[in-house]
Amino acid sequence: MNSSEESAVSAMSAGRPALRMGPAELVQAAAMARRFYLEGKSKIQIAEEFGVSRFKVARVLETALERDLVRIEIRVPAELDAERSDALRARYGLRHAVVVESPPEGEDASPDPENLGEVAADLLGELVAEGDVLGLAWGRSTIHMAAALDRLPPCTVVQLTGVYDAGTAERGSVEAVRRAAQVSGGEAHPIYAPMLLPDPATAAALRNQTGIARAFEYFDKVTVAAVSIGSWEPGISTVHDMLTDEERAHYASLGVAAEMSAHLFDSAGRRVGRDLGERCITVEADRLRRIPEVVAIAGGRRKAAAIGAVLRSGLVTSLVTDTMAADYLLTEFTPGPRPALDRTDPDE
């Protein structure tokens, strides 16, 4: 390349006014760009083909971008917010964060929009591998997710918690486990028992029943789990709704900010009210922490602070949420040092 050609390309690369590209330069730039961006050839291969240095190839490609000969677009489905997803992942040390558009204000007032479950179903399709053990905890969002599943590799599916109401088992957690197992073609291990029992003795007796004990044996084998998050208020936490007024007041006095799988957390992510777990049919927190991938599915402004509290607990590795909750988590909540990735227990 002669000196005048070199200076013209350099000027264009630096963003300074440059000579107009002639037809031969335009054709060559277009050809190089096609080789690099569409055919996947390396700069060295392109340089050999055109008889120039790889440095010139790099400059021509850069110029092609600057002169709008090449346009690079990053496209994701309209309902996904890639920028917020990446920011949330980085801020909380999450393995995966997927943020979907919140429904227009007033259009969907439910605490668990169904689109979260649909996106979570696709995410599980990516994360679960053949031979894995998939654990599903009670929650409206996990039930929506199971209903939306259309692909899963062959895997075993186990229920991680009892149901909100034993009378609704066919429409809740049990059916979610059956649905996931049907899609994957694997075994199902449901739990036919309420999540909350009147006292620890009754809960202990149920845990020893054959079917429930068999499901509990799989807890240490779970490789991917899906859980829901609730804030401590009526209609947003099923555990809150199952308790008496006196019990709610007691746990509120302990600073409960969030609930997940019948485990209670304060705003710092510390577990409180551990006595409640003795009355519940649920996976223990220590076992949850040992599961390699725990995906939480929760969104909405009313749940945003609760989501932050659970992320601080170090029990969750990935999150599917919406833009409303993500904005709160990115601007009004301080996570601490990568709790999700480090799996640290704030109580220790």
Side-chain angles (χ1 to χ4, degrees), residues 102-138:
S102 298
E105 190 171 354
E107 189 169 298
D108 188 347
S110 65
D112 296 285
E114 291 193 18
N115 62 338
L116 292 185
E118 293 165 2
V119 172
D122 287 340
L123 179 60
L124 279 194
E126 292 182 53
L127 298 180
V128 176
E130 184 173 351
D132 274 350
V133 177
L134 171 63
L136 300 181
W138 157 263

Side-chain angles (χ1 to χ4, degrees), residues 134 136 145-146 149 152-153 155 157 175-186:
L134 171 63
L136 300 181
M145 179 205 68
L149 283 171
L152 270 181
C155 64
V157 186
E175 181 56 32
V177 169
R178 286 175 173 168
R179 167 66 183 166
Q182 180 184 24
V183 172
S184 73

